[in-house]
């Protein structure tokens, strides 16, 4: 349920309603928009009578939230959310770019990537320290040593650090070093992990599970939002289909579709979405054209030598070229890219 307040409703009236919602055993989220303040009552709605709220002073109207995801829904918040972390921004006219290797490998590699991302105008450095690998015999990441190298690269460049956290017990450690916590595709429905990142105080990049529907994905985002963390970005990284010319199938219609359903920023990962470096730049450009609020792109000083996902990683010159193409498109749409 959403309680829409009259314009300029005073704080004490807003508080009265929020307190009443809490007394009834639901969570009250006060959302101050540019036009009006709304109060969302989230939880078991059988406990509340809509009519009883209509008569409170200062209330303009009371509306149900029809979508099963409440906090993530556009019904709740019409203004798009902009997520920020250090100099990185995504949403509301800004296309935020995160670039970097699949895995952190050593100091030279990660610092070189960070410098190249920065030189091309990106604002965040990606790099996995805890890697979810299909085979237990593949490189599993540098773990805390990798996080320390990301921290060093941040100190060198000022870029925000985006890195994956794979398990609930690692959240405090990864949150100590990261500006944005990445929830990998394989963990999209690990609900205890979603709750933990919801309490971490860090922005979250929630990747789509390769077989998740958009509704399941938005309900996963809801777990994070419901813990009080508003800084959630959705990342389309491709889904599994019968098609095998690409590693996954990258459904870009999800970008404008999500913009109808949610106020959260939508990021696209054309690296995992295609699995081929020669397709990445075109699909990055297409993502921006489709309205994406950000990109996460794998790049490496020497892709052939990468310890993971080299075949889908751009080299520095290709990354720079991609940035130029995407910036031209962003500017044509009246947006900033960086
Ligand atoms: C990654 O970003 O390197 C990664 C493992 O992504 P995903 O979870 O989308 O497969
Ligand atoms: Mn990867």
């Amino acid at each position: 349920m959403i309680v829409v307040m009259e314009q300029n409703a005073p704080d004490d009236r807003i508080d009265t309603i929020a307190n009443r919602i809490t007394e009834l055993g639901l969570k009250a989220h006060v959302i101050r928009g540019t036009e009006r303040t709304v109060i969302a009552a989230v939880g078991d709605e059988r406990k509340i009578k809509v009519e009883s709220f209509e008569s409170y002073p200062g209330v303009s109207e009371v509306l149900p939230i029809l979508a099963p995801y409440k906090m993530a829904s556009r019904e709740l918040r019409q203004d798009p959310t902009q997520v920020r972390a250090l100099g990185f921004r995504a949403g509301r006219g800004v296309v935020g770019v995160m670039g970097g290797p699949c895995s952190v490998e050593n100091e030279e590699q990660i610092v070189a990537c960070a410098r190249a991302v920065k030189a091309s105008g990106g604002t965040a450095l990606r790099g996995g320290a805890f890697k979810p690998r299909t085979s237990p015999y593949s490189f599993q990441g540098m773990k805390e040593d990798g996080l320390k190298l990301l921290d060093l690269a941040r100190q060198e460049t000022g870029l925000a650090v985006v890195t994956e956290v794979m398990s609930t017990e690692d959240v405090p450690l990864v949150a100590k070093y990261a500006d944005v916590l990445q929830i990998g595709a394989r963990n999209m429905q690990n609900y205890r992990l979603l709750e933990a990142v919801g309490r971490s105080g860090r922005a979250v990049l929630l990747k789509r599970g390769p077989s998740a529907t958009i509704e399941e994905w938005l309900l996963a985002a809801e777990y994070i939002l419901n813990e009080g963390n508003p800084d959630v970005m959705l990342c389309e990284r491709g889904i599994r289909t019968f098609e095998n010319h690409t590693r996954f199938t990258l459904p870009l219609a999800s970008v404008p579709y999500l913009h109808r359903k949610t106020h959260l920023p939508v990021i696209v990962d054309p690296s995992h979405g295609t699995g081929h470096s020669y397709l990445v730049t075109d699909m990055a450009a297409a993502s921006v054209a489709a309205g994406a609020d950000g990109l996460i792109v794998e790049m490496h000083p020497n892709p052939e030598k990468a310890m993971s996902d080299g075949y889908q990683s751009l080299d520095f010159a290709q990354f720079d070229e991609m940035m130029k193409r995407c910036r031209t498109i962003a500017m044509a749409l009246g947006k900033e890219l960086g």
Side-chain angles (χ1 to χ4, degrees), residues 86 110-119 122-125 150-161:
L86 296 184
I110 197 68
V111 171
C113 285
R115 291 206 174 110
V117 169
K118 178 147 184 157
T123 48
L125 174 67
L150 286 166
D151 182 31
L152 185 82
R154 171 175 46 209
Q155 285 171 37
E156 291 273 327
T157 56
L159 295 180
V161 163

Side-chain angles (χ1 to χ4, degrees), residues 148-207:
K148 288 183 177 153
L149 294 180
L150 286 166
D151 182 31
L152 185 82
R154 171 175 46 209
Q155 285 171 37
E156 291 273 327
T157 56
L159 295 180
V161 163
V162 185
T163 196
E164 178 161 353
V165 57
M166 282 174 56
S167 69
T168 308
E169 60 270 25
D170 294 334
V171 171
L173 174 74
V174 181
K176 193 168 109 186
Y177 294 98
D179 302 295
V180 179
L181 298 174
Q182 176 176 325
I183 298 295
R186 293 157 187 81
N187 265 319
M188 189 206 82
Q189 285 175 310
N190 182 341
Y191 298 119
R192 298 296 85 83
L193 178 61
L194 299 176
E195 287 168 349
V197 298
R199 293 189 294 268
S200 67
R202 295 280 180 246
V204 177
L205 181 74
L206 177 64
K207 290 196 141 195

Side-chain angles (χ1 to χ4, degrees), residues 88 96-100 124-126 162 205 233 267 295-297 319:
F88 172 85
V97 181
M98 309 170 226
L125 174 67
R126 64 148 288 148
V162 185
L205 181 74
M233 296 175 271
I267 312 297
L295 296 168
I296 180 163
V297 178
F319 184 82

Side-chain angles (χ1 to χ4, degrees), residues 102 126 131 247 272 298 308-309 312:
C102 180
R126 64 148 288 148
K131 292 305 302 177
R247 185 177 176 192
H272 294 84
E298 289 185 338
S308 57
D309 288 356
Q312 64 189 34

Side-chain angles (χ1 to χ4, degrees), residues 278-293:
Y278 60 83
L279 294 176
V280 168
T281 299
D282 286 335
M283 293 313 284
S287 305
V288 177
D293 303 296

Side-chain angles (χ1 to χ4, degrees), residues 210 239-249:
I239 54 175
R240 175 137 304 163
T241 69
F242 57 84
E243 182 54 77
N244 61 8
H245 76 290
T246 47
R247 185 177 176 192
F248 291 94
T249 296

